[in-house]
Amino acid sequence: MAAPYELIYYTGVPGRGEHIRLALEEAGASYTDTSSLPMDKCREAVTAYLNDSYLGEKGNPPYYAPPLFKHGDLIISQTSNILMYLGPKLGLAGSKENDVWRINALALTALDGLSNEVHDCHHPIAVELYWEDQKEESHRRSKEWVKNRLPKHLGYWERALKSEECGKGPWLLGNTLTYADLVLFQCLDGVQFAFPKAMKHAKESGKYDHVFQLWEAVKARPNVAAYLASDRRQKYDWGIYRYYPENDVLPE
């Protein structure tokens, strides 16, 4: 019997584990997820791998933070690393030689620009501080990000999707859906929650039609659509993507 896939991540918000869930859901793979546990049980299950007394097991070192992923004796961390491991197993890593590296590069780019940078908009000074303690800096950072960084990121993805170097089609590698498309979808979805005015403005500009078409196309895929409509899809709240009215600005 094949070893089960086990996702180890906090409950309460989609978070960085969501990219892994989307890949597993798209592929119709069976997996367990600690986020399905009650809050206290989930936190207990996750922190068991993070506390100072845990030194690793079965050849695996201790890791810094979730998401963690178990498959048999293997335990790995880091969203992009987990996806690079899972991609070929789930049929989401392309079909050409070296596609695995191309897809990883695309996924990392999306996570850097449309996840990490967005998180830093609401916590620009320190992650240990409450948003209220850095509200002024957060507002300034959000204004700059919406004005300068968001169009730069959307412009890059529009160019990547218009390129036919990897073949014609709606996806980043032409007509082949990969986990990079799922990562980009989730990042776009989160940015639309955090900055709805700016994203509406970007969509209506007509400059990024391919980008928003990809978001719609992923959302409409049967397995993804069923997952998004289920109670397994957690709501945005206090995680990477947060909505603060003060930060919901239009580019000046």
Side-chain angles (χ1 to χ4, degrees), residues 151-204:
K152 189 167 187 175
H153 291 307
L154 294 179
Y156 163 71
W157 291 112
E158 180 71 11
R159 179 162 56 94
L161 286 162
K162 286 168 68 174
S163 171
E164 296 184 357
E165 187 61 32
C166 298
K168 294 183 179 181
W171 311 119
L172 290 165
L173 290 191
N175 63 359
T176 303
L177 176 82
T178 72
Y179 70 78
D181 298 294
L182 302 175
V183 170
L184 181 55
F185 161 80
Q186 174 59 19
C187 288
L188 292 168
D189 197 69
V191 176
Q192 289 186 84
F193 175 80
F195 296 106
K197 289 180 181 177
M199 288 295 275
K200 183 175 184 288
H201 179 268
K203 184 175 183 179
E204 292 176 348

Side-chain angles (χ1 to χ4, degrees), residues 116-150:
N116 295 340
E117 286 188 18
V118 176
H119 175 274
D120 290 347
C121 284
H122 56 74
H123 275 71
I125 303 300
V127 295
E128 293 83 5
L129 295 175
Y130 290 112
W131 172 74
E132 290 79 6
D133 297 325
Q134 50 195 316
K135 185 189 295 188
E136 184 178 338
E137 295 88 350
S138 175
H139 179 62
R140 182 180 177 187
R141 170 70 181 246
S142 296
K143 286 174 62 178
E144 289 297 318
W145 193 81
V146 164
K147 178 182 177 180
N148 297 307
R149 298 296 291 169
L150 178 59

Side-chain angles (χ1 to χ4, degrees), residues 18 55 166 195 238:
E18 192 68 5
L55 300 178
C166 298
F195 296 106
W238 46 264

